[in-house]
Amino acid sequence: MSSTHPQPIGWRSHGLLFVLAMMYADNFVGRQIIAVMIEPLKQEFGASDTAMGLVSGLAFAAVYVLLGLPAGRLADRLSRTRLLAITCSLWALATVACGLSTSFAMLVIARMAVAVFESPSTSTSMSIIADIYPPHRRSFAISCYTAAPTFSTIVALSAGAWVVDQYGWRSAFFAVALPSLLISAVFAFVMRDPVRGRFDLPHSHASQGAPPIQSLLGSARALMAQPAYRCLVLACGITTFSAYAFAMWNASFLVRSHDLPLHYAGLLAGLVGGTFAGLGALFSGWLTDRLVIRSQHWQIGIPLIGHVLGNCALIIYLLWPRDILLHAGAVPVPSAMLWCALGSFFSVWWVGPCFSLLTQLVPAHRRATAVALQTIISTLCGVGIGPLATGLLSDVLMPVLVDESLRYALLLVSLTIVIPIVLLWRTYQHLAAPSRLSAYA
């Protein structure tokens, strides 16, 4: 499991990981804060649930899908820290444009601009993390990176709900844009790009020499031709379909099905969902790094366990009747939030192990492209289709179920987790061939 190039892991690596996590957190706040703007935006622009699913998801995802692969190719060839410095500053300007929108069409266009400049962030970050942490420490490092946005959900849904309630939805967009400008300066003037392939083992697939330069589509076809990679990225993508739908509509679900005011619904969705998802992501990464020393199969086992336990808890949460467990000050806390906490904790167990395994399945010079392809699929399924499909289902069910239509739309969407479970099992079968998985470690 250890590298033949045992460079120390020092504070420079931890500092770079921290800045990457803060960038991802700010990006995620920009995505999630629309969850507490759904009701005000519907009132101002006269939009339907389907239209809100468009602006909260598909408008972002469509552009992200188109640019994700070229962005990954750029990250594989340019200075990654400088690339992030440029895109962070432009992302901030696009977010300000969202707040300046005077029509629904302008808001959709501004959201598409946000996607343009956010497209290199995840693939570039994962490529960097793979070069500052060895494989046996990578799951926890990736979990720290991915836990940052889950904790930032607290800001997006709780503090964001307060800002929207007190100052309006435009001010919330302006506030989100400011941190990204500081992060851009740090990438530009402080951080250095790490050496690529620093921890790759000589016998691993990740250490293979660079092949002839391929077209973008050729690179994508070559990656998807690998059975283990193909099953893994499809499993991740379809998982985000239900995950993003739940995250985007949870506050509205609490408003409609549990009769909570918007600012209380956002506060609870943020504090409970964000806190326990963050803790779950960190715990699963820590646990995976310890278990893979005994068996590499835990990189698949931990996500499978998380999917089963997390989805069972979320189904109970969605079906739980309307009642109040306690009052936290002036905030009424439904007893269903206990199941929301449990579901949020387990449902993110896939993130660290799956991304860590992905970085081991491809060579260093293709990691950003490989992660970009995975992110494209996840963004299309999750950010793009998930919220939109949920809004569409809610609109279809509304004539029959009225205010409960969103509850059952989310329930139907949550059942799709069966597909990622099957795909993860297929990934395990592909990697269970003699010595196959250990070769990627």
Side-chain angles (χ1 to χ4, degrees):
M1 294 293 298
S2 62
S3 173
T4 56
H5 306 286
Q7 299 94 334
I9 306 299
W11 287 108
R12 182 173 293 275
S13 295
H14 300 326
L16 181 50
L17 176 63
F18 176 79
V19 177
L20 291 171
M22 291 304 97
M23 175 197 67
Y24 194 28
D26 193 42
N27 289 352
F28 207 81
V29 169
R31 298 185 195 181
Q32 288 295 101
I33 203 167
I34 290 187
V36 294
M37 297 179 184
I38 287 177
E39 305 304 322
L41 287 172
K42 285 182 66 176
Q43 293 176 8
E44 178 158 344
F45 296 122
S48 66
D49 279 351
T50 301
M52 290 313 304
L54 171 68
V55 74
S56 65
L58 191 59
F60 178 95
V63 176
Y64 202 106
V65 166
L66 290 174
L67 296 181
L69 205 57
R73 176 65 69 90
L74 284 176
D76 279 333
R77 284 162 171 73
L78 304 178
S79 169
R80 292 165 289 186
T81 51
R82 299 298 179 267
L83 177 62
L84 291 176
I86 295 170
T87 55
C88 278
S89 60
L90 294 175
W91 179 90
L93 295 177
T95 303
V96 169
C98 290
L100 296 175
S101 300
T102 57
S103 68
F104 188 77
M106 288 182 64
L107 181 60
V108 171
I109 293 171
R111 286 286 292 167
M112 295 171 73
V114 169
V116 170
F117 303 120
E118 190 177 325
S119 57
S121 60
T122 300
S123 56
T124 306
S125 298
M126 290 295 177
S127 176
I128 290 174
I129 292 171
D131 289 330
I132 59 177
Y133 292 96
H136 67 280
R137 297 183 63 177
R138 201 171 291 163
S139 288
F140 183 68
I142 291 173
S143 293
C144 290
Y145 171 76
T146 55
T150 59
F151 283 121
S152 74
T153 301
I154 300 171
V155 177
L157 298 184
S158 54
W162 179 82
V163 171
V164 171
D165 187 59
Q166 295 295 316
Y167 302 102
W169 60 270
R170 299 179 189 279
S171 297
F173 275 123
F174 301 151
V176 169
L178 291 176
S180 192
L181 295 175
L182 176 61
I183 293 169
S184 173
V186 173
F187 278 128
F189 302 112
V190 178
M191 296 300 173
R192 300 176 184 174
D193 203 28
V195 177
R196 296 181 192 267
R198 181 183 177 199
F199 293 106
D200 293 345
L201 297 174
H203 65 274
S204 71
H205 186 69
S207 65
Q208 293 177 3
I213 295 176
Q214 295 177 299
S215 66
L216 286 176
L217 291 179
S219 296
R221 283 195 297 267
L223 288 167
M224 294 300 286
Q226 301 177 38
Y229 175 87
R230 181 174 63 249
C231 289
L232 182 63
V233 298
L234 290 175
C236 295
I238 299 173
T239 297
T240 60
F241 172 80
S242 58
Y244 270 91
F246 175 77
M248 188 58 63
W249 288 101
N250 191 26
S252 290
F253 166 70
L254 290 172
V255 170
R256 301 182 196 182
S257 295
H258 289 271
D259 200 27
L260 294 180
L262 175 61
H263 55 288
Y264 289 158
L267 178 67
L268 289 175
L271 284 175
V272 176
T275 299
F276 282 89
L279 292 174
L282 291 173
F283 178 77
S284 68
W286 173 85
L287 183 63
T288 302
D289 278 347
R290 277 144 186 81
L291 292 178
V292 294
I293 296 175
R294 303 175 185 177
S295 172
Q296 291 291 320
H297 297 155
W298 282 110
Q299 287 187 303
I300 300 295
I302 292 296
L304 285 172
I305 294 171
H307 280 339
V308 173
L309 296 180
N311 211 58
C312 287
L314 288 177
I315 289 173
I316 296 173
Y317 166 66
L318 292 172
L319 293 175
W320 201 261
R322 180 186 302 179
D323 64 331
I324 301 301
L325 175 66
L326 54 87
H327 283 79
V331 182
V333 181
S335 56
M337 297 310 295
L338 295 173
W339 295 104
C340 180
L342 195 62
S344 298
F345 181 81
F346 286 110
S347 63
V348 294
W349 274 28
W350 65 275
V351 180
C354 286
F355 271 106
S356 178
L357 179 58
L358 188 150
T359 65
Q360 300 169 53
L361 292 175
V362 294
H365 59 271
R366 289 177 116 179
R367 279 195 183 119
T369 302
V371 174
L373 183 56
Q374 186 278 324
T375 305
I376 287 171
I377 295 171
S378 293
T379 302
L380 180 61
C381 292
V383 182
I385 302 176
L388 179 60
T390 305
L392 182 60
L393 278 172
S394 179
D395 283 340
V396 169
L397 295 173
M398 190 171 292
V400 177
L401 299 173
V402 195
D403 288 341
E404 292 299 300
S405 64
L406 182 58
R407 180 196 298 269
Y408 290 96
L410 285 169
L411 181 62
L412 290 172
V413 168
S414 71
L415 297 179
T416 60
I417 201 68
V418 173
I419 302 173
I421 290 175
V422 173
L423 287 169
L424 283 173
W425 181 251
R426 290 291 296 155
T427 304
Y428 167 78
Q429 290 179 318
H430 288 305
L431 295 177
S435 303
R436 180 78 179 273
L437 184 58
S438 60
Y440 293 110

